[in-house]
Amino acid sequence: MILKGKKTILSPIESEDLEFVRSLINDPEIEKTIFGWALPISRKDEEHWYASYSNSVQNIRYIITALDGERVGLTGLGNIDMKNGCAKGLRIRIAKEVQSNGLATDAYMTLFNFAFNELRLHRIETSAFDDNFASLKFQEKQGCKREGIKREAAFKNGGYKNIVTLGCLKDEFMPLYEEYLNDFNKYNIQR
């Protein structure tokens, strides 16, 4: 399903998106802010991944496109547990040249609304390094609440880092989503 927000469109990854996805994954500035170990990905690696990957009821990945058609990012949901109504919000990667334009906020608002209202999930879990203040602030803006710290749980940039775990419940998110829509509509009417 393609998801349309106020500023972005979230659509399944297609073969023509692979070079853009590879550029985001290989970007050292983005890579240093997220945990995990991302090896450099070649075109061949990316094509192999794409040939074996498909969205499923457990994992959904999206390309984020601005309304003008420009690819701007990547996000999704993982570890979707329909029985318990939970999922993990996959990291959002936004191209540096369009950061701070509200596209990441719109993409996450659109993704979370889909998760809570179409998939009927109850909870989305996220995480960030404890010193990644921009990511923590961004996630809290979506309604995520800090739930704990995994001490020295990731080795990154030459040292061990703490990971903050966050969770967002549907009833915490929906008022923020309504406010987001109202503010967006108010702003656009006044233009």
Side-chain angles (χ1 to χ4, degrees), residues 110-170:
T110 302
L111 179 66
F112 279 31
N113 181 56
F114 170 72
F116 289 130
N117 291 308
E118 293 297 322
L119 298 180
R120 297 181 296 173
L121 297 180
H122 176 69
R123 172 185 167 79
I124 298 174
E125 299 173 3
T126 63
S127 58
F129 289 132
D130 68 348
D131 62 353
N132 190 341
F133 304 113
S135 180
L136 290 167
K137 182 178 177 182
F138 167 75
Q139 291 180 63
E140 289 170 337
K141 186 177 175 182
Q142 315 315 312
C144 297
K145 308 278 189 236
R146 294 180 193 214
E147 297 181 335
I149 295 180
K150 295 180 181 179
R151 298 175 304 126
E152 297 184 4
F155 188 82
K156 195 66 151 195
N157 305 318
Y160 286 95
K161 300 179 83 112
N162 297 333
I163 297 173
V164 176
T165 60
L166 302 99
C168 182
L169 303 178
K170 180 179 180 179

Side-chain angles (χ1 to χ4, degrees), residues 6 11 42 45 64-65 84 89 105 111 153 162 174 180 184:
K6 295 294 184 180
S11 56
S42 68
D45 295 335
I64 304 167
T65 307
N84 294 306
T105 296
L111 179 66
N162 297 333
M174 291 313 298
Y180 172 74
F184 185 87

Side-chain angles (χ1 to χ4, degrees), residues 6-121:
K6 295 294 184 180
K7 294 182 175 186
T8 59
I9 297 169
L10 281 62
S11 56
I13 298 171
E14 300 289 349
S15 60
E16 58 267 15
D17 300 320
L18 292 182
E19 187 58 34
F20 174 73
V21 170
R22 192 167 71 91
S23 72
L24 286 177
I25 292 170
N26 286 339
D27 186 315
E29 293 301 310
I30 295 173
E31 166 56 26
K32 73 180 182 183
T33 66
I34 60 176
F35 60 90
W37 190 354
L39 298 172
I41 295 181
S42 68
R43 183 173 288 117
K44 181 181 173 188
D45 295 335
E46 188 76 357
E47 289 169 356
H48 177 72
W49 170 84
Y50 180 72
S52 63
Y53 179 81
S54 64
N55 282 332
S56 68
V57 294
Q58 287 87 27
N59 295 292
I60 305 170
R61 294 184 187 267
Y62 286 108
I63 283 290
I64 304 167
T65 307
L67 294 181
D68 66 4
E70 178 185 3
R71 292 179 193 96
V72 297
L74 179 68
T75 194
L77 295 169
N79 301 334
I80 300 170
D81 177 347
M82 299 304 269
K83 178 188 180 298
N84 294 306
C86 298
K88 181 162 179 58
L90 299 178
R91 294 161 198 89
I92 190 163
R93 294 176 189 241
I94 296 289
K96 289 180 296 214
E97 57 273 9
V98 296
Q99 289 178 359
S100 302
N101 290 345
L103 299 173
T105 296
D106 187 72
Y108 247 33
M109 286 285 181
T110 302
L111 179 66
F112 279 31
N113 181 56
F114 170 72
F116 289 130
N117 291 308
E118 293 297 322
L119 298 180
R120 297 181 296 173
L121 297 180

